[in-house]
Amino acid sequence: MTANRQHRSFLGAALIAATLIAGPAAAQDGVTSDTITVGAYGPLTGPAAYVGLGGRDGLSLAVKELNDGGGIHGRKIKVVFEDDGFSPTKALASVKKLVEQDKVFLVFGVSGSNPTVGTLDYLKERKVPTYVSFASAPQVTRPFYRHIFRGGTTEAARYGELYAEFLVEFLQAKRIAMLTGADEFPKNEGDATERHLQEWYKAKPVLRVEFKTGDKDFTPQLLRIKEANPDVILSFGLVTEAAIILRQARELGLRQPFFGSGAMVDNALIASARFAAEGFMGGWLTPLFLDSAHPDMVKFRTDWGKLYPGAPAGRPNLFDVLSYADMHVVAEGLRRAGKGLTGDSLIKALESLRDYRVNEIATPRTFTDWHHIGNLRMNMMIVANQHWVPLRWDPKRESAILKDYKK
Amino acid sequence: MFDRVGGIAGARGRVALLALLAALVGMPPLFDSYYHFLLSLMLINVIVAVGLNLLIGNAGQISLCHSSFMAIGAYATIYLSTKLGLNYWLAMPLGGVVAGAFGCILGLPAVRVRGFYLAVVTLGFLEIIQIVIEQTPGITGGVRGMSASRPELFGVKLRADLHFYYVILAVTAAALYCAHTLLHSPTGRAFNAIRVSESAAATLGIPVARTKLIAFIVAAFYAGIGGGLFATLVGFIDPLEFGVWTSIRHVVFIVVGGLGSIVGSAVGAAVLTALPEILRGFKEFSEFVYGGLLLVVLIVMPRGLVGLWPWWRARGRASPPARTAAVDKARAA
Amino acid sequence: MTAAVALQLLVAGLSTGSIYALVALGLVLVFKGTGVVNFAQGEFVTLGAYTALFLSVFTPLPYAAVFVLTVLLAGAVGMAIERGLLRPLIRAPAFTVVIATLAIGLMIKNALRLAWQEPVSTLPTPFSSDPIALGPLRINPQYLWVIGCSLLLMGLLVVFFRASRLGKAMRAVAQNQDAARLMGIPVGRIYSITFGVATAIAAIAGVLFAPLIGIEAEMGGVIIKGFVAAIVGGFSSLTGAVVSGLLIGVIEAFGGAYFGGIFKNVVAFAILIAVLLLRPHGLFGRAEAHRV
């Protein structure tokens, strides 16, 4: 009898020991022997649907390529995508569902700033590895948090640095007029640009006027700008308004060049504003424009077209390219993390990336163990002969953003 | 089971209510925070919808700016608790009071207009509030939005959704009880009288303008409370959350639930808050499907879900005049 | 402000005002004729613009053919929607019908948003974009085409309602359904036709304004200004709707010049409140007889 009891207690202890050893590895959510589950959220409905649809489809194309190539260390990637309707409330609900119901390993964000910021507290609390592809809000990377990375889009402040330097050093603009939309992204761009014009060059815009998204007539604002006689007109907003602004500006006799938001660099602008768009300059987040003849971009378009035959006009768009590139960045991180994949090993792996990109359609990404801002680059484009053409210009000033982190 | 204002009455009603309450208290700990979050959102929408129903379903006034009062409550609560350091349990009701004050500001001109004219005036109010929110980033964070953190209760921070859910449940119960009491009071009867016929109500000695104003203030207060809870539940708000579509969604809650009925509004709010989550599987088609379902529901149940209850159908009094009467009104012009 | 600037603003204001006027016209027409407040009117403008876009992209038809075909298609769709979706709600409370039109608008907008994902598109027209110079003024010929077409349309509608049998039948139904029915007028069919005409007007607005404001899924947002114009006009008068729409457009343009772009939107509502305070039934409305 005593021997039996001893046996049982020994067995019990062994079982407990086994659970303790096996525990952490088995408890890694979203990773099994043959699958890695990635959760993603972004707007599939509402006025910002083109962001989420591009984000989802680019991401899925990358995943398909990876799975067709055998997966990562023998594991295939499964994507669960949730719509957030561009609302912080729905984004938080989506992320809770992904983490708690779908038990994802990693959250991939292809939404705008406000919805993304709404999810950060929860993701930080749960220590879920998070990769944000599109949102430019500073809260994503500041204060520094181990589990959160920002990929394709650069920081809001960086837009201001790049635009200010471009305007003053490259365009040699002395008198700058600003026409900004009242939404979150254009407002951020406008404020950041104004701030850096002041901080770096002691320059102030001669005029700043605003408009609301959905406005269809900009005559009052443009007449004021005409009166102010600037060298360059900055216009931050969306393509729809930009097309009207450019057309009306030329009609009213404004001859100055326009420099615009990253959001305005789109073939639709040329198609709508036609010759009024000539000479329009703007920033683009990847090295190649969508209609480039570079073999990497051609391959991307071909593969995309094969996976999504009969896609509507306007696709693929910038967001398809960005999320495709960023998913490959994540994949490289998964690869470097090795077979024993955990949140920690992924984070360490991503932090080892230096100037990584899958091919020429992406900007290189760098992460370190003290900052997770993957991209600080933009390419300036200009409309020449009804096409977007890259301008050969690289910024010379070092970004103050990383200096802030080093403190 | 229901009384004439769609409140709970009778023994059967009380038993059903107790059973529901027991479920709402006892079952959530079995689930995880996604469900707590969802339930909390549903309850907040119930508070807002019940308040709006007092105004539209009972007092017969049209308001398309209800989300503005939510916004005012939300931003006021955050401002009072963070910038002025007030205890949240004081700030949140005060947020409701501030919203009620704005309800009065809207009400003063609004009582002079009726019908669709009133609807468009409320749209104007919404537009103005949106602009105020966007142009005062110091108080509201503007278009960049604003964070809110969970309050402490008896020294315990209500970080877990489940704990905050119980708070919201308590507030919702209180709100429903007050609405029920209000509708059974002389003021509540005055609401119904005004909706049916303003001139008849006036001849009965009911102060029409003042009663309408009270309706606006109470509805705004409810929305403000809902907004204050909403801000702390979600933790981050921006002006887009309080736009015209949010207002329209609130109206849809009570139309689908049943205008004039407390239970109807509560059920409508709960079901239609859960519906978009259920429709997640439709991805980019979910809004299209939502619209289609809504249309089908309205055609099948024009008086709302509560119209399925035969007794309510026979009642008929709660619903606003049908289209044909509106057409006759227009002909006089 | 110089005279040249003022004239420039006036033309811009009249052009924007014309779209408000057309939307308001459709809203008042439907309300007077069928008692429905059509919250989908903005989406019908969008539908008209997209229909014209698809026709010009996928068929070799010229502008004139595209225009006419779009209007006819829109009218047919409007009639079908009234017959199929709104007729079952004929005895429903007013609120239910309003939400039903909202649901219809939501479905149309979502379908279009997914079918064509360019952020904005335009419509090719036979008019050149080179502005006509009249002294210091520079006017895009499209503006003149748009204002001219809108006025022509309004004129045609006046004649239609006064002189044609169908127009008179629609007025009869709007005045008193039961009397009209007693006179042998098929009220149901008139409802459909009224809705179809309103949808056609919205489509005309969409086609006319597409080259000026761009075609995108959110362009239906113009309905809010349309509502304001309709109310300011009295919500029962077609002329009132048109005049108010133009007035609001012009005052917005000048308001934007004086008070800045953001406050342009408030200008419309400020006008609304001012008018309702002075004339509670709108500029052209008449006091309702009160049934005691």
Side-chain angles (χ1 to χ4, degrees), chain B residues 207-254:
Chain B
V208 172
R210 206 182 69 186
T211 311
K212 282 200 225 179
L213 193 59
I214 293 175
F216 272 103
I217 296 174
V218 171
F221 176 75
Y222 268 67
I225 297 283
L229 291 170
F230 174 76
T232 21
L233 172 71
V234 177
F236 185 81
I237 52 172
D238 70 358
L240 284 178
E241 297 274 65
F242 305 109
V244 67
W245 272 102
T246 310
S247 274
I248 290 176
R249 247 181 284 138
H250 294 148
V251 176
V252 174
F253 292 161
I254 64 180

Side-chain angles (χ1 to χ4, degrees), chain B residues 286-330:
Chain B
S286 58
E287 259 191 11
F288 184 83
V289 172
Y290 180 90
L293 278 176
L294 189 56
L295 207 49
V296 166
V297 163
L298 290 172
I299 291 177
V300 167
M301 300 182 272
R303 287 202 164 13
L305 291 167
V306 108
L308 294 173
W309 208 264
W311 167 88
W312 190 267
R313 255 203 302 259
R315 187 171 163 280
R317 263 190 300 150
S319 38
R323 252 173 33 183
T324 42
V327 174
D328 288 336
K329 253 195 218 160

Side-chain angles (χ1 to χ4, degrees), chain C residues 72-281:
Chain C
L72 292 174
L73 282 171
V77 166
M79 288 179 66
I81 288 179
E82 198 285 329
R83 185 72 191 80
L85 299 172
L86 296 177
R87 195 72 65 79
L89 293 169
I90 202 164
R91 297 254 163 259
F95 263 107
T96 304
V97 183
V98 161
I99 303 291
T101 59
L102 268 168
I104 294 170
L106 190 66
M107 291 175 79
I108 294 175
K109 185 158 62 171
N110 268 279
L112 291 173
R113 188 184 285 143
L114 292 171
W116 190 264
Q117 291 180 25
E118 292 276 14
V120 70
S121 307
T122 192
L123 205 59
T125 71
F127 305 100
S128 93
S129 309
D130 294 328
I132 304 173
L134 296 171
L137 281 187
R138 310 166 88 91
I139 304 182
N140 184 340
Q142 307 252 27
Y143 286 144
L144 300 174
W145 167 243
V146 154
I147 297 173
C149 272
S150 307
L151 291 172
L152 180 65
L153 175 65
M154 296 164 208
L156 283 174
L157 282 172
V158 167
V159 169
F160 171 72
F161 282 116
R162 210 152 282 182
S164 79
R165 271 195 64 145
L166 181 57
K168 285 193 222 169
M170 286 167 73
R171 277 168 61 206
V173 169
Q175 276 210 339
N176 188 328
Q177 268 194 70
D178 299 316
R181 199 176 280 123
L182 288 171
M183 296 295 287
I185 297 176
V187 170
R189 205 178 312 158
I190 296 291
Y191 271 17
S192 292
I193 295 175
T194 309
F195 212 80
V197 171
T199 319
I201 294 176
I204 292 175
V207 178
L208 279 180
F209 287 92
L212 290 177
I213 64 177
I215 304 176
E216 37 100 25
E218 303 304 313
M219 58 192 296
V222 76
I223 194 181
I224 297 190
K225 299 282 174 63
F227 274 136
V228 175
I231 296 282
V232 167
F235 213 47
S236 51
S237 153
L238 295 177
T239 340
V242 168
V243 169
S244 310
L246 292 171
L247 201 63
I248 290 178
V250 170
I251 299 185
E252 257 191 4
F254 283 91
Y258 279 116
F259 301 114
I262 290 295
F263 294 96
K264 247 175 68 155
N265 287 319
V266 207
V267 164
F269 288 104
I271 299 173
L272 172 74
I273 294 181
V275 166
L276 286 182
L277 282 175
L278 297 170
R279 287 185 61 101
H281 298 284

Side-chain angles (χ1 to χ4, degrees), chain A residues 44-46 53 56 80-84 86-90 92-97 100-101 103 113-115 117-118 121-122 125-126 139 182-184 187-189 191-192 210 212, chain B residues 32-35 37-38 41 127 130-131 134-135 137 142-145 147-148 150 159-161 230 233-241 276-277 280-288:
Chain A
L44 297 180
T45 57
L53 288 167
R56 179 189 64 181
V80 182
F81 196 98
E82 291 297 342
D83 173 32
D84 74 357
F86 214 76
S87 146
T89 310
K90 202 156 178 207
L92 183 53
S94 302
V95 161
K96 282 185 196 258
K97 177 192 173 284
E100 293 165 17
Q101 312 281 304
K103 307 234 185 294
S113 285
N114 285 354
V117 171
D121 279 346
Y122 176 76
E125 206 187 318
R126 290 280 184 136
Q139 293 99 314
D183 286 4
E184 181 264 329
K187 202 168 163 73
N188 279 341
E189 281 181 309
D191 289 347
E210 286 204 314
K212 238 180 168 254
Chain B
D32 47 45
S33 85
Y34 168 64
Y35 289 101
F37 186 68
L38 201 53
L41 280 174
E127 190 68 41
Q130 279 284 93
I131 292 180
E134 287 172 12
Q135 301 288 320
V143 287
R144 290 198 193 96
S147 292
R150 296 279 174 83
R159 190 69 204 101
D161 283 341
F230 174 76
L233 172 71
V234 177
F236 185 81
I237 52 172
D238 70 358
L240 284 178
E241 297 274 65
E277 294 293 313
R280 275 187 183 277
F282 288 99
K283 306 294 174 195
E284 62 260 47
F285 301 102
S286 58
E287 259 191 11
F288 184 83

Side-chain angles (χ1 to χ4, degrees), chain A residues 144 149 350-354 366-373:
Chain A
F144 175 79
F149 291 79
L350 283 172
E351 288 173 346
S352 73
L353 291 175
R354 297 282 179 278
T366 301
F367 299 109
T368 65
D369 61 4
W370 52 272
H371 86 80
H372 288 171
I373 307 172

